[in-house]
Amino acid sequence: GNAILGAPSVHTYTIIDEDLRGAIRLSSATYSVDESGPRVTITAQRIGGSSGAVGVKFATANGTAAAGSDYLSTAGTLSWANGDTASKSFTVPITNDLLDELNETFTLTLSAPSGGAALGSPSTGTVTITDNDPAPTLRFSQAASSGAESTTPAVINVSLSAASCQTITVAYATANGTAVSG
């Protein structure tokens, strides 16, 4: 009332559905890599939408594997453009040592999604580094030895072919020959 309608006389307001931006998740909660690597490739997926540019941060963290000696700590950002739903990958270098050890693990975490994206599930994962080193060999240091009858106890040396990160045990026993126990 009491005014003239001018142009434009129609206004369109678009509500952007944030659900269409999607969620970002890891392609798997578990990964495995041989210690000889030389790297493991980790894949993230954008699911449930492709509207707008989105991103997510990623980082590794120690488990039983230690950054610097078993793998190289890795962190960064993955990005998707508007309409992009292709999987994105990053790599984590693996260190091949010469120690016989148990399989070791480290974790991966996606965090701080940007552009209206959400974190999907799984957003954390575990990488198992499978040891590739042979178990060391135990052997007597000599095939035979001798000592005076008065030497008590007799010392018989056993050697290990290589260092190991595992506890090494060996059972041993004596047996009668021309000498009789006791």
Side-chain angles (χ1 to χ4, degrees), residues 19-111:
D19 295 336
L20 296 178
R21 298 206 179 261
I24 302 170
R25 69 178 184 189
L26 291 171
S27 64
S28 177
T30 58
Y31 297 85
S32 182
V33 61
D34 187 79
E35 186 179 55
S36 62
R39 68 189 55 82
V40 60
T41 300
I42 308 302
T43 303
Q45 303 167 320
R46 181 182 190 179
I47 58 168
S50 64
S51 178
V54 298
V56 70
K57 292 183 179 184
F58 64 86
T60 57
N62 289 348
T64 56
S69 60
D70 298 309
Y71 72 99
L72 293 181
S73 180
T74 305
T77 302
L78 298 173
S79 300
W80 285 260
N82 182 39
D84 183 7
T85 59
S87 294
K88 307 295 181 197
S89 297
F90 63 94
T91 61
V92 180
I94 303 300
T95 304
N96 190 8
D97 62 32
L98 300 176
L99 291 175
D100 173 45
E101 55 197 347
L102 297 173
N103 294 343
E104 298 170 304
T105 62
F106 64 91
T107 59
L108 310 161
T109 302
L110 297 179
S111 64

Side-chain angles (χ1 to χ4, degrees), residues 6-20:
S9 61
V10 175
H11 174 84
T12 303
Y13 180 82
T14 303
I15 298 172
I16 299 171
D17 186 351
E18 293 173 343
D19 295 336
L20 296 178

Side-chain angles (χ1 to χ4, degrees), residues 116-134:
L119 280 180
S121 182
S123 61
T124 61
T126 302
V127 176
T128 299
I129 302 172
T130 306
D131 187 57
N132 65 347
D133 301 300

Side-chain angles (χ1 to χ4, degrees), residues 1-10:
N2 298 326
I4 300 171
L5 190 59
S9 61
V10 175

